[in-house]
């Protein structure tokens, strides 16, 4: 679909249908699922945008002036995504950051399993900073006639059928991949449609920018510490020092990294010896997108997408971004004593 954006406007729905039509034998189920997630994203976007007003109208747990009970936005987003997935009728298991246990749907014969973080970075909401929704879709391993189990869900990221995120920023964007490049859409609030913005995002090979929570440096692995020291030293030939950008909202930090290049790091630290970010609904989907755009997504040992998961909420260290930036980091990690 070469440079559709140059010629005419395409909605998310049209784009998904066109992409599906390129495959003989496609059943349309994955397309339907992506469209259902897109619809839930629009509803969450509407609520995120009026978060300040909602606060004026009542506190969490209370009733607002309309007599409606006021919910925390992450609970609201969780409910919206869950009902979109349940409505689709093709999902057997859902795993949300908000629930300890996996959630089995009535359509337990559905062929898809979906992991999601309904509102990542939600502590940023109160200060009007961008947050996001992340999703990761797998085809179940077992036959559709048997009950889907946790073992169906525990697949390495390489097996994702699709993954994406929605960024609720100065505009709302939906970015996704089904393994054939990365496409992005911007919500036009006047018509309520996600419009195609880019049908083949490529991450630059290098950019002198990094993104990490420096406050935790005392607990970092030695290799990370010496890499960060290196990128701060002045050397115009290698574009050092790099500039630092850290929002503290993974979707925003990685969206910027995807478009401009650079490196995003969430290493192990004293309080999180295996990193803080969740493998199944933060690292894998974001890593899949970064790789599909031509970048690297590593955990310090190898590709994040090759990690064989042991539990649905496990964490992993994350080093993602432009190929040359991440390769440079790896030189430091390999020489770590
Ligand atoms: P959350 O799922 O509880 O919102 O936590 C995940 C968020 C990411 O969006 C972000 O990259 C990270 O936590 C920031 O963590 P920290 O405050 O430790 O830098
Ligand atoms: Mg999260």
């Amino acid at each position: 679909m070469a440079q559709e954006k140059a010629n005419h406007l395409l909605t998310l729905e049209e784009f998904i249908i066109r992409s599906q039509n390129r495959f003989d034998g496609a059943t349309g189920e994955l397309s339907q699922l992506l469209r259902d997630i897109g619809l839930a994203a629009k509803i969450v976007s509407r609520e995120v945008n009026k978060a300040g007003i909602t606060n004026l109208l009542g506190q969490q747990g209370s009733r607002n002036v309309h007599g409606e009970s006021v919910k925390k936005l992450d609970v609201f987003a969780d409910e919206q995504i869950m009902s979109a997935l349940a409505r689709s009728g093709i999902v057997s298991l859902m795993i949300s950051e908000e629930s300890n246990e996996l959630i089995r749907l009535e359509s337990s014969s559905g062929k898809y399993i979906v992991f999601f973080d309904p509102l990542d970075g939600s502590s940023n909401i109160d200060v009007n900073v961008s947050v996001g929704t992340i999703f990761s879709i797998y085809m179940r391993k077992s036959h559709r006639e048997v009950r889907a189990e946790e073992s169906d869900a525990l697949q390495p990221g390489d097996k994702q059928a699709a993954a994406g995120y929605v960024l609720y920023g100065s505009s709302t964007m939906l970015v996704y991949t089904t393994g054939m490049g990365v496409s992005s859409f911007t919500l036009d609030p006047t018509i309520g449609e996600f419009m195609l913005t880019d049908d083949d995002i490529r991450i630059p090979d290098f950019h002198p920018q990094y993104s990490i929570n420096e406050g935790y440096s005392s607990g970092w692995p030695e290799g990370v510490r010496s890499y960060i020291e290196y990128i701060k030293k002045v050397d115009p030939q290698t574009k050092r020092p790099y500039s630092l950008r850290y929002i503290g909202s993974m979707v925003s930090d990685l969206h910027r990294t995807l478009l401009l290049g650079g490196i995003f790091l969430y290493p192990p630290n004293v309080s999180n010896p295996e990193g803080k970010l969740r493998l199944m609904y933060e690292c894998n989907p974001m890593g899949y997108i970064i790789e599909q755009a031509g970048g690297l997504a590593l955990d310090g040992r190898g590709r994040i997408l090759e990690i064989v998961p042991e539990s649905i909420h496990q964490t992993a260290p994350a080093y993602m971004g432009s190929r040359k930036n991440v390769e440079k980091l790896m030189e430091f990690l390999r020489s770590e004593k």
Side-chain angles (χ1 to χ4, degrees), residues 191-310:
I191 56 169
E193 293 281 3
F194 279 109
M195 306 305 297
L196 179 65
T197 314
D198 195 331
D199 65 1
D200 187 20
I201 300 180
R202 304 300 298 166
I203 184 169
D205 252 10
F206 172 78
H207 185 56
Q209 206 167 74
Y210 71 111
S211 190
I212 190 170
N213 188 336
E214 292 230 33
Y216 303 144
S217 60
S218 59
W220 291 344
E222 195 45 49
V224 173
R225 215 187 344 256
S226 41
Y227 170 73
I228 299 293
E229 265 168 39
Y230 162 83
I231 61 179
K232 291 202 263 189
K233 282 198 186 117
V234 180
D235 176 31
Q237 279 207 318
T238 52
K239 300 222 165 32
R240 289 181 288 152
Y242 295 3
S243 63
L244 166 68
R245 296 282 185 278
Y246 191 72
I247 297 170
S249 197
M250 185 191 199
V251 172
S252 314
D253 282 315
L254 274 169
H255 184 71
R256 183 195 57 248
T257 306
L258 181 68
L259 299 189
L260 301 181
I263 183 167
F264 170 85
L265 309 90
Y266 207 110
N269 59 44
V270 172
S271 17
N272 305 292
E274 269 307 305
K276 170 191 175 186
L277 299 176
R278 309 300 179 125
L279 175 64
M280 301 305 284
Y281 41 83
E282 294 178 328
C283 301
N284 274 338
M286 300 307 283
Y288 191 25
I289 285 171
I290 293 285
E291 280 199 3
Q292 281 291 311
L296 290 175
L298 308 178
D299 71 348
R301 294 170 284 251
R303 289 174 65 227
I304 287 173
L305 301 193
E306 287 178 13
I307 298 174
V308 179
E310 287 168 8

Side-chain angles (χ1 to χ4, degrees), residues 40 44 72-85 94-99 103 116-119 133:
V44 175
K72 264 181 80 181
L73 267 171
D74 38 16
V75 176
F76 177 83
D78 194 41
E79 288 174 0
Q80 289 303 320
I81 311 281
M82 283 200 291
S83 61
L85 299 178
M94 318 188 273
I95 296 95
S96 164
E97 193 198 49
E98 295 288 325
S99 319
I103 302 149
F116 61 96
D117 185 348
L119 215 54
T133 294

Side-chain angles (χ1 to χ4, degrees), residues 32-56:
Q32 183 58 49
L33 189 52
L34 290 169
R35 277 153 39 207
D36 288 339
I37 292 173
L39 176 60
K42 286 188 216 172
I43 298 169
V44 175
S45 175
R46 190 191 62 202
E47 291 303 305
V48 168
N49 285 332
K50 63 179 196 196
I53 303 171
T54 315
N55 276 346
L56 290 177

